[in-house]
Amino acid sequence: VTGFLKPLGFRKRGRTYNRTVKGGLVHVVGLQPGAYELREEIPGIRRNLWGQFTVNVGVYVPELDPRGRGSSGKQILAHGCLVRARLGALLPERSDVWWSLGETWPDSAANVVTCLDRHGLPFLDRYQTPEDVVAQWVGDSEEHRLGGVARVHVARLLVARGDEVGAQTLLQEQYDRTVQ
């Protein structure tokens, strides 16, 4: 995976890769290992993911981080991203995919690279600037496809760009949905 991502501008620390794009956003690819081996697996409720991993992709928007983690040069993790998704959710099947770390690791790694190339990176590439985050959110009828970007965050981006009317509209929508 490193051999694929490094030439594309990603820096690796641990199991996470970061790439800062021209618009100031940070693209994140994170490999998440399964939890420690369970004593008892409960089909349909608790799955044993020991020896497996999944891939998370995300877009970090520095101006929405009051702590300024991105500007400090620290590694950004996928859970700290405004826009995020599991790689499996971006595939045509839209499912939660976990790859094996066992004997099939070379096949798993090749499959992850293929999935990143065809689905993960195109998802990230849609977001080069904060304006792209706003445009994708407003233009996407399925809000959940943006990884749960809240109206309040998009409203903050609109205010930062001087669109107070757009921000008020989003906040009113959020209020109306919450009060119901």
Side-chain angles (χ1 to χ4, degrees):
V1 176
T2 301
F4 171 70
L5 292 174
K6 190 171 182 178
L8 299 174
F10 285 88
R11 297 177 337 277
K12 179 181 187 265
R13 180 182 285 165
R15 295 181 297 264
T16 302
Y17 301 83
N18 285 183
R19 168 178 72 180
T20 303
V21 294
K22 290 180 186 174
L25 305 182
V26 178
H27 291 171
V28 177
V29 176
L31 306 179
Q32 176 186 336
Y36 187 74
E37 189 170 13
L38 297 173
R39 291 186 183 147
E40 181 180 349
E41 182 171 351
I42 303 170
I45 297 175
R46 186 170 55 186
R47 188 172 152 200
N48 187 357
L49 298 171
W50 178 248
Q52 298 178 43
F53 72 99
T54 192
V55 180
N56 302 302
V57 295
V59 180
Y60 172 79
V61 181
E63 64 192 274
L64 293 181
D65 184 355
R67 296 184 203 151
R69 289 178 293 180
S71 61
S72 66
K74 291 184 178 180
Q75 188 79 345
I76 304 299
L77 303 176
H79 68 266
C81 293
L82 177 64
V83 177
R84 61 182 178 268
R86 284 268 172 91
L87 183 57
L90 301 174
L91 302 178
E93 304 83 30
R94 297 196 190 287
S95 62
D96 191 19
V97 179
W98 289 79
W99 288 271
S100 175
L101 287 168
E103 296 174 5
T104 61
W105 164 246
D107 294 333
S108 294
N111 186 261
V112 166
V113 167
T114 299
C115 292
L116 280 170
D117 188 37
R118 292 183 185 164
H119 304 282
L121 293 181
F123 174 80
L124 294 175
D125 288 341
R126 293 183 350 206
Y127 304 97
Q128 299 293 318
T129 66
E131 289 80 9
D132 294 339
V133 174
V134 172
Q136 288 290 331
W137 195 91
V138 171
D140 194 338
S141 62
E142 297 180 61
E143 295 172 21
H144 67 277
R145 298 240 355 251
L146 291 182
V149 176
R151 283 179 181 79
V152 68
H153 295 306
V154 176
R156 288 175 58 199
L157 287 172
L158 289 172
V159 167
R161 275 138 192 78
D163 184 359
E164 291 181 13
V165 172
Q168 271 186 323
T169 301
L170 287 178
L171 292 174
Q172 185 63 51
E173 286 175 12
Q174 184 63 35
Y175 174 79
D176 293 344
R177 286 185 179 206
T178 304
V179 171
Q180 293 177 358

mmCIF file of all heavy atoms in Angstrom, residues 49-67:
data_model
loop_
_atom_site.group_PDB
_atom_site.id
_atom_site.type_symbol
_atom_site.label_atom_id
_atom_site.label_comp_id
_atom_site.label_asym_id
_atom_site.label_seq_id
_atom_site.Cartn_x
_atom_site.Cartn_y
_atom_site.Cartn_z
ATOM 1 N N LEU A 49 -13.077 -9.911 14.307
ATOM 2 C CA LEU A 49 -12.293 -9.282 13.244
ATOM 3 C C LEU A 49 -10.788 -9.405 13.490
ATOM 4 O O LEU A 49 -9.991 -8.741 12.834
ATOM 5 C CB LEU A 49 -12.686 -7.803 13.117
ATOM 6 C CG LEU A 49 -14.146 -7.562 12.731
ATOM 7 C CD1 LEU A 49 -14.491 -6.089 12.842
ATOM 8 C CD2 LEU A 49 -14.423 -8.088 11.334
ATOM 9 N N TRP A 50 -10.407 -10.240 14.437
ATOM 10 C CA TRP A 50 -8.990 -10.453 14.734
ATOM 11 C C TRP A 50 -8.290 -10.975 13.482
ATOM 12 O O TRP A 50 -8.770 -11.881 12.823
ATOM 13 C CB TRP A 50 -8.851 -11.447 15.880
ATOM 14 C CG TRP A 50 -7.439 -11.780 16.229
ATOM 15 C CD1 TRP A 50 -6.830 -12.984 16.045
ATOM 16 C CD2 TRP A 50 -6.464 -10.916 16.791
ATOM 17 N NE1 TRP A 50 -5.532 -12.925 16.482
ATOM 18 C CE2 TRP A 50 -5.276 -11.653 16.941
ATOM 19 C CE3 TRP A 50 -6.479 -9.578 17.183
ATOM 20 C CZ2 TRP A 50 -4.119 -11.104 17.463
ATOM 21 C CZ3 TRP A 50 -5.322 -9.033 17.709
ATOM 22 C CH2 TRP A 50 -4.162 -9.796 17.842
ATOM 23 N N GLY A 51 -7.157 -10.369 13.135
ATOM 24 C CA GLY A 51 -6.402 -10.785 11.961
ATOM 25 C C GLY A 51 -6.930 -10.184 10.663
ATOM 26 O O GLY A 51 -6.536 -10.604 9.577
ATOM 27 N N GLN A 52 -7.803 -9.198 10.780
ATOM 28 C CA GLN A 52 -8.353 -8.538 9.609
ATOM 29 C C GLN A 52 -8.157 -7.026 9.746
ATOM 30 O O GLN A 52 -7.853 -6.519 10.821
ATOM 31 C CB GLN A 52 -9.837 -8.864 9.454
ATOM 32 C CG GLN A 52 -10.110 -10.341 9.253
ATOM 33 C CD GLN A 52 -11.592 -10.603 9.152
ATOM 34 O OE1 GLN A 52 -12.325 -9.883 8.486
ATOM 35 N NE2 GLN A 52 -12.061 -11.640 9.840
ATOM 36 N N PHE A 53 -8.353 -6.311 8.650
ATOM 37 C CA PHE A 53 -8.266 -4.852 8.683
ATOM 38 C C PHE A 53 -9.229 -4.268 7.669
ATOM 39 O O PHE A 53 -9.638 -4.922 6.721
ATOM 40 C CB PHE A 53 -6.833 -4.369 8.411
ATOM 41 C CG PHE A 53 -6.400 -4.550 6.980
ATOM 42 C CD1 PHE A 53 -6.446 -3.483 6.088
ATOM 43 C CD2 PHE A 53 -5.953 -5.782 6.521
ATOM 44 C CE1 PHE A 53 -6.048 -3.653 4.768
ATOM 45 C CE2 PHE A 53 -5.549 -5.956 5.201
ATOM 46 C CZ PHE A 53 -5.597 -4.888 4.325
ATOM 47 N N THR A 54 -9.592 -3.012 7.893
ATOM 48 C CA THR A 54 -10.407 -2.278 6.942
ATOM 49 C C THR A 54 -9.667 -0.983 6.601
ATOM 50 O O THR A 54 -8.646 -0.664 7.205
ATOM 51 C CB THR A 54 -11.823 -2.009 7.490
ATOM 52 O OG1 THR A 54 -12.654 -1.551 6.416
ATOM 53 C CG2 THR A 54 -11.813 -1.000 8.615
ATOM 54 N N VAL A 55 -10.179 -0.257 5.627
ATOM 55 C CA VAL A 55 -9.539 0.975 5.176
ATOM 56 C C VAL A 55 -10.539 2.120 5.281
ATOM 57 O O VAL A 55 -11.675 2.003 4.812
ATOM 58 C CB VAL A 55 -9.028 0.848 3.724
ATOM 59 C CG1 VAL A 55 -8.352 2.139 3.269
ATOM 60 C CG2 VAL A 55 -8.074 -0.339 3.597
ATOM 61 N N ASN A 56 -10.108 3.200 5.913
ATOM 62 C CA ASN A 56 -10.914 4.413 6.029
ATOM 63 C C ASN A 56 -10.258 5.517 5.218
ATOM 64 O O ASN A 56 -9.027 5.636 5.213
ATOM 65 C CB ASN A 56 -11.006 4.849 7.496
ATOM 66 C CG ASN A 56 -11.607 3.771 8.371
ATOM 67 O OD1 ASN A 56 -12.716 3.327 8.143
ATOM 68 N ND2 ASN A 56 -10.856 3.336 9.376
ATOM 69 N N VAL A 57 -11.061 6.305 4.538
ATOM 70 C CA VAL A 57 -10.541 7.463 3.806
ATOM 71 C C VAL A 57 -11.261 8.699 4.332
ATOM 72 O O VAL A 57 -12.415 8.627 4.752
ATOM 73 C CB VAL A 57 -10.720 7.327 2.274
ATOM 74 C CG1 VAL A 57 -9.886 6.185 1.731
ATOM 75 C CG2 VAL A 57 -12.175 7.148 1.886
ATOM 76 N N GLY A 58 -10.560 9.818 4.327
ATOM 77 C CA GLY A 58 -11.180 11.036 4.841
ATOM 78 C C GLY A 58 -10.514 12.291 4.323
ATOM 79 O O GLY A 58 -9.425 12.256 3.745
ATOM 80 N N VAL A 59 -11.212 13.393 4.545
ATOM 81 C CA VAL A 59 -10.722 14.713 4.148
ATOM 82 C C VAL A 59 -10.787 15.613 5.374
ATOM 83 O O VAL A 59 -11.857 15.829 5.950
ATOM 84 C CB VAL A 59 -11.574 15.308 3.005
ATOM 85 C CG1 VAL A 59 -11.050 16.685 2.620
ATOM 86 C CG2 VAL A 59 -11.594 14.378 1.800
ATOM 87 N N TYR A 60 -9.642 16.109 5.772
ATOM 88 C CA TYR A 60 -9.508 16.996 6.927
ATOM 89 C C TYR A 60 -9.552 18.442 6.444
ATOM 90 O O TYR A 60 -8.844 18.823 5.506
ATOM 91 C CB TYR A 60 -8.186 16.692 7.628
ATOM 92 C CG TYR A 60 -7.803 17.646 8.717
ATOM 93 C CD1 TYR A 60 -8.380 17.553 9.978
ATOM 94 C CD2 TYR A 60 -6.847 18.620 8.498
ATOM 95 C CE1 TYR A 60 -8.005 18.417 10.992
ATOM 96 C CE2 TYR A 60 -6.459 19.488 9.505
ATOM 97 C CZ TYR A 60 -7.049 19.386 10.749
ATOM 98 O OH TYR A 60 -6.675 20.242 11.741
ATOM 99 N N VAL A 61 -10.407 19.252 7.070
ATOM 100 C CA VAL A 61 -10.549 20.673 6.735
ATOM 101 C C VAL A 61 -9.947 21.477 7.890
ATOM 102 O O VAL A 61 -10.568 21.612 8.948
ATOM 103 C CB VAL A 61 -12.032 21.048 6.517
ATOM 104 C CG1 VAL A 61 -12.163 22.517 6.140
ATOM 105 C CG2 VAL A 61 -12.669 20.150 5.457
ATOM 106 N N PRO A 62 -8.730 22.006 7.704
ATOM 107 C CA PRO A 62 -8.030 22.677 8.811
ATOM 108 C C PRO A 62 -8.805 23.825 9.451
ATOM 109 O O PRO A 62 -8.779 23.984 10.662
ATOM 110 C CB PRO A 62 -6.747 23.198 8.164
ATOM 111 C CG PRO A 62 -6.556 22.369 6.957
ATOM 112 C CD PRO A 62 -7.926 21.979 6.492
ATOM 113 N N GLU A 63 -9.530 24.593 8.656
ATOM 114 C CA GLU A 63 -10.202 25.767 9.225
ATOM 115 C C GLU A 63 -11.369 25.401 10.151
ATOM 116 O O GLU A 63 -11.879 26.243 10.867
ATOM 117 C CB GLU A 63 -10.648 26.732 8.139
ATOM 118 C CG GLU A 63 -11.688 26.191 7.194
ATOM 119 C CD GLU A 63 -11.851 27.097 5.989
ATOM 120 O OE1 GLU A 63 -12.632 28.056 6.072
ATOM 121 O OE2 GLU A 63 -11.199 26.830 4.975
ATOM 122 N N LEU A 64 -11.771 24.146 10.159
ATOM 123 C CA LEU A 64 -12.833 23.710 11.063
ATOM 124 C C LEU A 64 -12.294 22.998 12.290
ATOM 125 O O LEU A 64 -13.052 22.460 13.083
ATOM 126 C CB LEU A 64 -13.823 22.802 10.330
ATOM 127 C CG LEU A 64 -14.645 23.470 9.241
ATOM 128 C CD1 LEU A 64 -15.602 22.485 8.623
ATOM 129 C CD2 LEU A 64 -15.385 24.684 9.771
ATOM 130 N N ASP A 65 -10.985 23.012 12.460
ATOM 131 C CA ASP A 65 -10.366 22.372 13.618
ATOM 132 C C ASP A 65 -9.848 23.465 14.552
ATOM 133 O O ASP A 65 -8.817 24.076 14.287
ATOM 134 C CB ASP A 65 -9.223 21.469 13.181
ATOM 135 C CG ASP A 65 -8.598 20.706 14.340
ATOM 136 O OD1 ASP A 65 -8.977 20.936 15.503
ATOM 137 O OD2 ASP A 65 -7.728 19.868 14.066
ATOM 138 N N PRO A 66 -10.556 23.714 15.653
ATOM 139 C CA PRO A 66 -10.132 24.794 16.549
ATOM 140 C C PRO A 66 -8.769 24.570 17.183
ATOM 141 O O PRO A 66 -8.107 25.504 17.588
ATOM 142 C CB PRO A 66 -11.233 24.820 17.622
ATOM 143 C CG PRO A 66 -11.871 23.480 17.567
ATOM 144 C CD PRO A 66 -11.708 22.988 16.145
ATOM 145 N N ARG A 67 -8.324 23.316 17.243
ATOM 146 C CA ARG A 67 -7.011 23.024 17.844
ATOM 147 C C ARG A 67 -5.870 23.165 16.847
ATOM 148 O O ARG A 67 -4.717 23.152 17.214
ATOM 149 C CB ARG A 67 -7.005 21.611 18.409
ATOM 150 C CG ARG A 67 -7.971 21.442 19.541
ATOM 151 C CD ARG A 67 -7.855 20.070 20.127
ATOM 152 N NE ARG A 67 -9.090 19.720 20.798
ATOM 153 C CZ ARG A 67 -9.542 18.515 20.932
ATOM 154 N NH1 ARG A 67 -8.866 17.504 20.449
ATOM 155 N NH2 ARG A 67 -10.666 18.292 21.556
#
